[in-house]
Amino acid sequence: MTEKERMLSGLPYCDLDPELLHDKARSRQLTRLFNSTTEEQLDYRTELLKQLFGSVGEHICIEPPFRCDYGCNTYIGEGFYANFDCIILDVAPVHIGNDVLFGPRTCIFTPWHPIDAEIRNKRIEGGRAVTIGDNVWIGGNVTINPGVTIGSNVVIGSGSVVTRDIPDNVVAVGNPCRVMRPITDEDKRYWTEVYEEYRSFRAKADKKAEED
């Protein structure tokens, strides 16, 4: 078993392995190119992200700057958006579902390091996979720790540190992040009313623009 195979399996490995250093160098090159793009180069940004990640949906938007360890160990679904300063340390696989939104400075950390300093200084480390379901909104300045699974239809409040699994259909906040309440039919009704009011406003504005 190679060091890379050990890393992806969650076993202890050495990050000084030549294959891993090569993969990191490729990631650094692609993220450097991505972070130097302008807002007029949206197609080129998407092309770079498709080269960087293990897989992505057709519609993806990440605001520079963005950083990751490998990129190729991250798998992202359709309709993903990440605001500024996103960091994904993907020494273990990261799976992100469809229609997921990241607030600014969202961080996903899969690596772990030995608590014992003598062993830690030998550059031995490991990783645990992170999984995020569909229709998830992660607030700003959220940190997601190694091994965490976040379910679908979840809202994580800003500033949270997610250290344990979060089930489907909840709002969760805090450090450490805990479930605050379920997402209910009342939420659905309230936000449907908000949306319908906006649709009415938009229709009137569009009609007025046509008349003018």
Side-chain angles (χ1 to χ4, degrees):
M1 181 178 280
T2 66
E3 296 284 350
K4 183 174 182 177
E5 290 170 337
R6 290 183 63 88
M7 180 185 78
L8 294 174
S9 298
L11 297 172
Y13 73 96
C14 177
D15 69 344
L16 299 177
D17 174 72
E19 183 181 15
L20 295 179
L21 292 175
H22 175 270
D23 289 350
K24 278 188 177 181
R26 176 182 179 275
S27 169
R28 300 300 187 272
Q29 179 188 43
L30 289 171
T31 52
R32 173 177 53 80
L33 292 172
F34 175 81
N35 289 328
S36 66
T37 60
T38 69
E39 59 275 13
E40 289 85 14
Q41 297 175 292
L42 298 182
D43 289 342
Y44 181 45
R45 284 183 181 177
T46 300
E47 177 187 334
L48 290 171
L49 293 176
K50 289 183 175 181
Q51 293 180 48
L52 176 64
F53 293 126
S55 65
V56 296
E58 284 301 311
H59 298 93
I60 179 172
C61 180
I62 297 178
E63 304 284 359
F66 169 76
R67 297 283 188 270
C68 65
D69 263 340
Y70 294 97
C72 58
N73 301 327
T74 296
Y75 306 88
I76 300 174
E78 184 65 28
F80 177 71
Y81 175 80
N83 214 319
F84 308 109
D85 293 322
C86 179
I87 297 174
I88 301 178
L89 302 187
D90 56 343
V91 306
V94 173
H95 293 272
I96 299 171
N98 297 320
D99 298 306
V100 174
L101 307 177
F102 282 3
R105 295 181 180 142
T106 292
C107 297
I108 297 177
F109 301 148
T110 68
W112 57 259
H113 299 273
I115 291 176
D116 181 82
E118 184 176 350
I119 301 301
R120 185 169 64 245
N121 291 340
K122 297 181 185 297
R123 300 299 292 269
I124 299 300
E125 61 182 72
R128 294 194 291 275
V130 167
T131 300
I132 299 173
D134 298 331
N135 303 309
V136 174
W137 172 26
I138 308 291
N141 287 298
V142 168
T143 298
I144 301 170
N145 278 359
V148 163
T149 293
I150 295 174
S152 294
N153 306 310
V154 169
V155 175
I156 304 293
S158 60
S160 296
V161 179
V162 188
T163 60
R164 64 187 73 181
D165 292 353
I166 303 295
D168 296 344
N169 303 305
V170 298
V171 176
V173 300
N175 181 9
C177 189
R178 295 183 175 88
V179 173
M180 183 176 72
R181 66 174 181 85
I183 294 175
T184 66
D185 290 341
E186 184 178 344
D187 291 302
K188 179 72 172 177
R189 286 191 295 271
Y190 173 80
W191 289 105
T192 298
E193 289 175 3
V194 170
Y195 175 66
E196 290 301 328
E197 185 279 331
Y198 171 77
R199 280 213 317 167
S200 175
F201 155 77
R202 188 68 266 162
K204 292 176 182 178
D206 291 344
K207 184 178 179 180
K208 186 176 186 302
E210 290 176 2
E211 293 171 349
D212 291 346

